[in-house]
Amino acid sequence: MALTWSRKRMSVRFKNRILVFGGRAMPKVTDAHLEARRQQILDAATECFARKGFHRSTMHDICQMAELSPGAVYRYFQSKDEIIEAMEEQGRQHSAAVIDAVTSERTETLDVLEGLVDVFFSKLEDVRDCAVHIELWAEALSNPKIKQTVVRIDESIRNAFIQRIVSAAQHRGEINAALDPDAVARVMMAFWDGLVLQKTLDPEVDIWKYVAVMKAMIGGTFWQKTEAGRS
Amino acid sequence: MALTWSRKRMSVRFKNRILVFGGRAMPKVTDAHLEARRQQILDAATECFARKGFHRSTMHDICQMAELSPGAVYRYFQSKDEIIEAMEEQGRQHSAAVIDAVTSERTETLDVLEGLVDVFFSKLEDVRDCAVHIELWAEALSNPKIKQTVVRIDESIRNAFIQRIVSAAQHRGEINAALDPDAVARVMMAFWDGLVLQKTLDPEVDIWKYVAVMKAMIGGTFWQKTEAGRS
């Protein structure tokens, strides 16, 4: 796999946002310190949501898990909704950065898709993250603000897929041009969402056997008996 | 689409179970009446779970929605968990019956898959059902009994797929024999689960454009630029 990322690299991406917080007459602390605290809260919230579910977790639980006072936590986030929004935004930035990096690094479409699959699916090794996704989907059903965030971020990732990969590949005659680009992007996201679910229900599921099937379906080696007699 | 089913047909499938209830010195009522009541409660519960979520719905809500007294409801189900179990079991029986019917009616693998896709994906027009699925997945994270039910039923559908379709097609050299049959079945289920999620977030998603992509991926017409120069 060509790409890796770390929490540390993410912090740089949030620098501008942190500087905004810094402008509100807060004590003089370094950006790195602020970002570390913020990440500490997001990590604690992830742990809480995965253990108790989003609905049952309280801000108090999150403070305890983060080992921070309510004052320290509320300085960054006023509510669970704000924490969720930050988590989703972090996910979106992660995804956008990965798509950027892979599409600028590789030229062949199947090679690009392979790169994206390797990065996105490796993340599923962390079943805790998978559980938080499912909590979020359920929360979106009854919480319009969360739903709006989830939909907006899904859309932005889907559009990145469509523009950078699907439409371009259709234009070059690689992906069947009769297919709706939005639907292609949706199926690609479903591969991931579907495995998030299965991995949560059974952490033993082999990600890479699943990925092999997906790659075969995308690359045309799944079905071996066509009119052309390809095998 | 060749297959349709109705609530009415389902009731016949549950006849044996109902007879067991009938054996417990219940007032003399017809099987059809008992089954209608039972279905009335399941429908009401589906409505409640879709509106308020599984966790927030109470047995009281379900009684109100069903317009039945608690006594009438508790005669059939002792708890929300029992209702969920019955819903899942009904889903499993539906799915098994569909797989049975389609595989015995058609012989060509792609034809069988096409038949299954048409039946299973038509169900997603009902966004209420989609929402209940997501609630169930989330509930399974923190409720071991529900998790066990969901896993058991998923497994039984996956095994039906593997045995009746995937392994047979691999044996005939249709589906790439290098792929893990369990992983193939998982990807096929992910197509469905992934769309359940997307349909819930946006009821306007076009199921059939999505299905066209899926069919192209399965049937080898998605990727058009292979070494063999197929197009």
Side-chain angles (χ1 to χ4, degrees):
Chain A
M1 191 190 359
L3 273 176
T4 54
W5 67 73
S6 64
R7 297 283 190 194
K8 204 151 181 305
R9 257 176 70 189
M10 279 304 304
S11 67
V12 180
R13 304 204 152 267
F14 280 110
K15 214 174 163 186
N16 292 334
R17 193 172 230 197
I18 298 303
L19 283 174
V20 173
F21 275 91
R24 287 199 215 148
M26 285 167 66
K28 222 175 173 183
V29 280
T30 66
D31 289 350
H33 174 82
L34 288 170
E35 176 46 29
R37 275 279 170 279
R38 199 172 177 278
Q39 191 60 56
Q40 185 177 346
I41 299 165
L42 291 179
D43 286 345
T46 300
E47 193 64 41
C48 286
F49 298 161
R51 283 192 196 181
K52 294 179 71 172
F54 177 81
H55 206 69
R56 273 169 283 226
S57 300
T58 61
M59 283 295 273
H60 179 72
D61 294 330
I62 296 168
C63 297
Q64 281 204 311
M65 183 69 73
E67 298 180 349
L68 288 171
S69 69
V73 170
Y74 279 96
R75 187 193 218 167
Y76 296 87
F77 302 106
Q78 292 302 308
S79 65
K80 284 194 293 176
D81 282 11
E82 281 189 14
I83 292 182
I84 285 289
E85 207 161 326
M87 276 181 180
E88 283 282 282
E89 176 58 24
Q90 196 170 73
R92 190 197 63 74
Q93 295 201 16
H94 256 149
S95 301
V98 170
I99 295 173
D100 256 12
V102 174
T103 49
S104 64
E105 213 176 50
R106 304 176 181 213
T107 50
E108 296 292 319
T109 306
L110 284 183
D111 208 28
V112 167
L113 284 172
E114 183 122 355
L116 290 175
V117 162
D118 288 344
V119 181
F120 280 111
F121 283 74
S122 304
K123 290 173 73 179
L124 300 183
E125 298 286 6
D126 186 349
V127 181
R128 195 191 62 162
D129 273 1
C130 293
V132 173
H133 272 98
I134 293 174
E135 283 295 332
L136 259 182
W137 299 338
E139 185 61 21
L141 298 184
S142 55
N143 182 333
K145 213 176 148 195
I146 298 293
K147 182 174 178 174
Q148 207 179 8
T149 307
V150 173
V151 167
R152 181 174 54 82
I153 287 174
D154 257 28
E155 225 161 346
S156 98
I157 299 174
R158 207 165 59 243
N159 287 338
F161 255 93
I162 294 170
Q163 285 154 18
R164 291 184 181 243
I165 303 159
V166 182
S167 295
Q170 286 183 312
H171 192 72
R172 287 194 296 270
E174 293 168 345
I175 290 177
N176 188 337
L179 301 170
D180 178 58
D182 182 66
V184 173
R186 285 185 183 279
V187 169
M188 288 179 174
M189 291 178 78
F191 279 134
W192 194 82
D193 293 331
L195 190 55
V196 165
L197 174 66
Q198 294 183 32
K199 198 69 187 161
T200 315
L201 292 175
D202 176 8
E204 299 303 311
V205 174
D206 188 315
I207 293 177
W208 304 107
K209 284 181 180 169
Y210 177 101
V211 163
V213 174
M214 233 178 74
K215 286 184 180 174
M217 283 185 179
I218 292 174
T221 59
F222 175 80
W223 188 254
Q224 311 254 305
K225 210 175 173 181
T226 64
E227 295 86 321
R230 194 162 127 262
S231 72
Chain B
M1 190 187 6
L3 272 175
T4 53
W5 67 73
S6 64
R7 297 282 191 195
K8 205 154 180 304
R9 257 176 71 189
M10 278 303 305
S11 68
V12 180
R13 305 205 152 268
F14 280 110
K15 213 174 163 187
N16 291 335
R17 192 171 232 199
I18 297 302
L19 283 174
V20 172
F21 275 91
R24 286 198 216 148
M26 285 166 66
K28 220 174 172 185
V29 279
T30 65
D31 289 350
H33 175 82
L34 287 170
E35 176 47 27
R37 275 280 170 280
R38 199 171 177 277
Q39 192 60 56
Q40 185 177 346
I41 299 166
L42 291 180
D43 287 344
T46 301
E47 194 63 43
C48 285
F49 297 162
R51 283 192 196 181
K52 295 180 70 172
F54 177 81
H55 207 69
R56 274 169 282 226
S57 301
T58 62
M59 284 295 272
H60 179 72
D61 294 330
I62 296 168
C63 296
Q64 281 205 311
M65 183 70 72
E67 298 179 348
L68 288 171
S69 69
V73 170
Y74 279 96
R75 185 191 217 168
Y76 296 87
F77 301 106
Q78 292 302 308
S79 64
K80 283 194 293 176
D81 282 11
E82 280 189 15
I83 292 182
I84 286 288
E85 207 161 326
M87 276 180 179
E88 283 283 280
E89 177 57 25
Q90 196 170 72
R92 190 197 62 74
Q93 295 200 17
H94 257 148
S95 301
V98 170
I99 295 173
D100 257 12
V102 174
T103 49
S104 65
E105 213 176 50
R106 304 176 180 213
T107 50
E108 296 292 319
T109 306
L110 284 182
D111 208 28
V112 167
L113 284 173
E114 183 123 354
L116 291 175
V117 162
D118 288 344
V119 180
F120 280 110
F121 282 74
S122 305
K123 290 172 73 178
L124 299 184
E125 299 286 6
D126 186 348
V127 181
R128 194 192 64 162
D129 273 1
C130 293
V132 173
H133 273 97
I134 293 175
E135 282 295 332
L136 259 182
W137 300 338
E139 185 62 21
L141 298 184
S142 56
N143 183 332
K145 214 176 148 196
I146 298 293
K147 181 174 180 175
Q148 208 179 6
T149 306
V150 174
V151 167
R152 181 174 54 80
I153 288 173
D154 257 28
E155 223 159 352
S156 97
I157 299 174
R158 208 164 59 242
N159 286 339
F161 256 93
I162 295 170
Q163 285 154 20
R164 291 183 182 244
I165 304 160
V166 183
S167 296
Q170 286 183 312
H171 193 71
R172 287 194 295 271
E174 293 168 345
I175 290 177
N176 188 337
L179 300 171
D180 179 58
D182 182 66
V184 174
R186 285 185 183 280
V187 169
M188 288 178 173
M189 290 178 77
F191 280 133
W192 195 82
D193 293 332
L195 190 56
V196 165
L197 174 67
Q198 294 183 32
K199 199 68 187 162
T200 315
L201 292 176
D202 175 8
E204 300 302 312
V205 174
D206 187 316
I207 294 177
W208 304 107
K209 285 181 181 170
Y210 177 101
V211 163
V213 174
M214 233 179 74
K215 286 185 180 173
M217 283 184 179
I218 292 174
T221 59
F222 176 80
W223 189 252
Q224 311 255 306
K225 210 174 173 181
T226 65
E227 295 85 322
R230 193 164 129 262
S231 72

